[in-house]
Amino acid sequence: MKPLKRIGISYSETNFQNYWSWFTPGELGSDVELLELSFERGNTADIYKCDGFVLTGGIDVLPSIFGGAAKYPYMPDSFLPERDEFERQIYEFSQDQKLPVLGICRGMQYINILEGGKVFEDNGEEAHLVHKKAAEDKIHTVNIRPETLLYSTTGIEQAEVNSAHHQAVDPRYLGNNLMASAYSGTKDGIIEALEFEDKADKAFMLAVQWHPERMKSKSSNPLSQKVKEAFLKAVRAT
């Protein structure tokens, strides 16, 4: 019998169940299980039981962590520094132990911050027409750079993704050893995916700005299904 692998999913105050149910029983099989890693429950010990991690979307990261402005458009009424600290521990453990990580939306932005980079506090009203969530997620194209992990994972150079964010990675301040592997197909050119530039001695890491867990066509869109399959394969290989 194969040893049991565990995927830790960081708790989000918004739509957490979508991340959980994205992994179907058939995909998990009998050898992979999910663990909720919750800053509210403070189950730090469970971090060290995991073989891979999903850093989820949600509220803005506390701007003082990356030297951001104290006030900006669409900032939340209050932040969650407890969540920021909890997820910092998750990410640092993943890198210390060379474990796979999948970052989604806020998760991608926070990986950039934790690697010493910055995000735009707010993308601006023009970008909001394309990216910021309204009644439903917006839809736009992304362009994927060849010779990247994202391209080898998905096998495509362009596809449609959903979009629901008012912040984005600042390309002037990419984190240590990070590279952009996809950009928005619209004129704003927002960074849509990150991965390690030098992958030597690194585990699988993909971070995406879209929400693969709640795409309407997630089972057929490679930018959801193929990304998930690659992450699961990496977890099983740990």
Side-chain angles (χ1 to χ4, degrees):
M1 184 175 180
K2 292 181 180 179
L4 184 66
K5 303 292 184 180
R6 296 182 177 92
I7 294 172
I9 304 181
S10 68
Y11 176 74
S12 173
E13 65 285 354
T14 54
N15 302 315
F16 175 74
Q17 188 59 42
N18 288 340
Y19 301 96
W20 194 272
S21 59
W22 185 39
F23 296 91
T24 69
E27 290 167 334
L28 296 174
S30 60
D31 61 324
V32 181
E33 71 173 12
L34 306 180
L35 280 180
E36 177 184 328
L37 300 177
S38 173
F39 70 96
E40 292 186 341
R41 290 165 47 199
N43 59 331
T44 307
D46 285 340
I47 295 173
Y48 310 110
K49 300 176 183 177
C50 294
D51 304 282
F53 301 93
V54 179
L55 295 178
T56 59
I59 195 170
D60 299 356
V61 174
L62 188 69
S64 61
I65 293 176
F66 60 91
K71 293 188 179 296
Y72 56 89
Y74 303 104
M75 65 184 292
D77 294 333
S78 60
F79 293 91
L80 290 172
E82 302 87 356
R83 177 178 180 181
D84 298 334
E85 172 57 21
F86 191 79
E87 291 187 347
R88 180 190 65 79
Q89 293 179 64
I90 292 173
Y91 184 71
E92 289 185 352
F93 176 72
S94 76
Q95 297 310 293
D96 288 343
Q97 299 299 312
K98 298 181 176 59
L99 298 174
V101 177
L102 177 61
I104 296 175
C105 197
R106 167 200 153 100
M108 179 179 104
Q109 295 167 13
Y110 199 26
I111 288 172
N112 190 61
I113 291 168
L114 289 169
E115 290 289 357
K118 296 184 179 183
V119 300
F120 294 120
E121 292 93 344
D122 184 73
N123 294 331
E125 293 303 323
E126 186 173 357
H128 292 338
L129 297 174
V130 178
H131 300 281
K132 190 174 185 294
K133 185 178 181 180
E136 293 185 343
D137 291 351
K138 292 183 170 66
I139 305 294
H140 65 82
T141 59
V142 295
N143 297 318
I144 299 171
R145 293 173 57 189
E147 300 180 2
T148 61
L149 174 61
L150 182 61
Y151 175 77
S152 64
T153 296
T154 61
I156 56 175
E157 292 188 26
Q158 188 178 79
E160 286 192 334
V161 297
N162 55 348
S163 192
H165 61 102
H166 85 103
Q167 296 186 315
V169 168
D170 187 336
R172 300 169 300 177
Y173 299 99
L174 283 180
N176 180 51
N177 193 31
L178 295 180
M179 60 180 283
S181 47
Y183 294 89
S184 170
T186 56
K187 63 181 180 180
D188 53 68
I190 280 176
I191 292 175
E192 293 284 342
L194 292 176
E195 59 189 65
F196 289 125
E197 185 167 19
D198 182 357
K199 298 173 178 62
D201 205 34
K202 288 287 188 180
F204 175 97
M205 192 284 284
L206 274 179
V208 300
Q209 186 58 66
W210 59 88
H211 281 272
E213 82 288 351
R214 68 176 191 232
M215 284 181 168
K216 291 182 178 178
S217 57
K218 56 181 179 285
S219 62
S220 59
N221 190 323
L223 295 184
S224 174
Q225 188 63 28
K226 293 295 185 183
V227 166
K228 178 175 56 172
E229 290 173 0
F231 174 65
L232 282 167
K233 182 178 179 181
V235 170
R236 285 187 163 102
T238 56

